[in-house]
Each structure stands twice: as structure tokens, then as C-alpha cells.
Amino acid sequence: MDFSTVEKNLKARGYTVACFKTASEAVKYLDGQIDQRTVGMGGSMTIDQMGLFEALQSHNTVSWHQKMQQMPEGKTSQEVRAAANASAVYISSVNGLAETGEIINIDGTCNRVSAILYGHEKVYLVIGRNKLAKDYDSALYRARNIASPLNAKRLGVKTPCAAKGDKCYDCNSPERICRCLSVMWEKPMSAEFEVILIDEDLGY
């Protein structure tokens, strides 16, 4: 895939951008960039599929609630999320990226959205080609009607989108996972942000 258009638009909005053909190349790059740091990770199938946690944990202090079995004994999921949000470096994927440069995320617990937006020295957003959409409306549609139903189904929650896996029903289920929407029009002023674009389908 030619990332030139989205790369140009992301740079115009203040982001640093790095492009890779494969996830393994991106992992090697990030493993070299991040050393002896506190690192937090947001809920992400992209990160899981890449094996990024395993690569970084050998020489960084990594907090990720998706790997509770590898966290310090006695830590609760809430405590691990809090440590992730207090880390120097934060890594997440996104639910939709417009070629025009807008970055969209939908969250339930909202630790991931809040952590992306504020509190770190540097944030890396790792994005596979399947997250890319032509414009803002298409990226928002993708986040609501593709990413959210697939994540709800994976989590086994009792929502219409999880049962059918086809679209957002804007439900009022107690187990609804899409409770917060964030749109990054420009790079936040609070930190350095680097977008990692990967020419592979990763995550939802």
C-alpha cells in the first residue's frame, strides 16, 4: 500500500510518521527506540498480534492489562491500567485513521483514550493498513461499525453488535463497550506523537 498521502497529511498535523512493510520490521524499530523506560499499552489486538509486549518487556517496565499473568503478582487490572497511564511512553493502536489525517478511537473503560491524549512523554500509535479509510466520515464509520462489533464479539459481551457482528446498533446494553469517542484533529500539544504505519492487516 502507498502510505504517501496519509503520511503527508499526518505530518502536516504535527505527527512524526514511520512506515514499515511488515509488523516484524515495526517491532524491531520500536524495540530499538524504547529502552529502559516505563511503558504503558492500551487494549489492542494489533499490539498482541505483533508480539510487541514480549519484545519490550525484556528491557523496559511494561504495564499492560491484557497480559495480567505476566504482571507483578498481586496487581489488579485497575492498578495495571493506572500504571500504564502513568508511564513515560504509551503505545496503542486506533480504530480508524482517515487518509486526511484524523485519528478516531472508541473506548469502553476509557483508559486507552484518556492515556493517548495526555500524560506521557511520547505516544506511539501503531496502525495496520486495514484501519485506513478515505476520509473522516469513513474512518468514523469504520470505528463504529467494523472495529467495535468485532471487539464486542471477541470480548463476549451481551450486545446486539456482538451477537450479529455486522454493525453498531447504538444500544443501551449495560455491557456496551463503545462509551467514549475521541477524534484527534491535530497532534495534541502535551507530548511527542509518532504514528507507525504497517502494510499488513492487524487487529480490528
Side-chain angles (χ1 to χ4, degrees):
M1 175 178 283
D2 183 3
F3 287 127
S4 58
T5 298
V6 67
E7 181 180 3
K8 179 187 72 175
N9 289 328
L10 285 168
K11 287 180 176 178
R13 292 173 186 263
Y15 301 97
T16 300
V17 182
C19 301
F20 299 93
K21 283 290 185 185
T22 66
S24 60
E25 290 174 0
V27 169
K28 184 176 180 180
Y29 170 75
L30 289 166
D31 196 35
Q33 292 289 307
I34 305 168
D35 184 50
Q36 301 299 315
R37 308 300 304 277
T38 55
V39 180
M41 292 180 170
S44 171
M45 290 305 294
T46 294
I47 291 173
D48 198 21
Q49 289 170 8
M50 292 171 66
L52 185 57
F53 173 86
E54 290 76 11
L56 293 179
Q57 71 166 343
S58 64
H59 57 106
N60 296 276
T61 302
V62 185
S63 297
W64 195 21
H65 65 281
Q66 286 189 204
K67 298 286 185 180
M68 285 299 296
Q69 72 277 12
Q70 296 175 32
M71 294 293 101
E73 187 176 354
K75 290 284 187 180
T76 66
S77 179
Q78 184 174 355
E79 288 170 332
V80 172
R81 283 182 170 93
N85 283 28
S87 63
V89 177
Y90 196 77
I91 306 172
S92 181
S93 189
V94 307
N95 298 130
L97 168 61
E99 285 189 14
T100 44
E102 297 92 346
I103 297 172
I104 295 174
N105 277 297
I106 293 174
D107 212 349
T109 305
C110 302
N111 61 297
R112 178 176 60 99
V113 164
S114 63
I116 288 171
L117 297 178
Y118 185 77
H120 311 283
E121 295 173 21
K122 183 155 186 177
V123 175
Y124 292 92
L125 298 175
V126 185
I127 306 171
R129 64 189 177 195
N130 52 312
K131 306 289 185 76
L132 195 59
K134 65 179 181 178
D135 53 28
Y136 167 76
D137 288 335
S138 301
L140 177 59
Y141 180 91
R142 186 197 187 283
R144 293 193 68 184
N145 295 285
I146 298 175
S148 292
L150 289 172
N151 276 307
K153 190 171 184 177
R154 172 179 64 87
L155 294 168
V157 296
K158 294 181 175 65
T159 61
C161 71
K164 299 183 180 180
D166 58 346
K167 66 176 183 177
C168 174
Y169 289 84
D170 198 17
C171 70
N172 62 356
S173 167
E175 296 187 19
R176 175 174 173 150
I177 66 165
C178 47
R179 294 175 177 265
C180 175
L181 168 71
S182 74
V183 181
M184 296 167 67
W185 302 106
E186 304 275 340
K187 183 194 82 66
M189 298 177 181
S190 59
E192 291 183 56
F193 278 74
E194 184 166 352
V195 177
I196 307 296
L197 299 175
I198 303 171
D199 194 12
E200 290 184 348
D201 291 346
L202 294 163
Y204 301 145

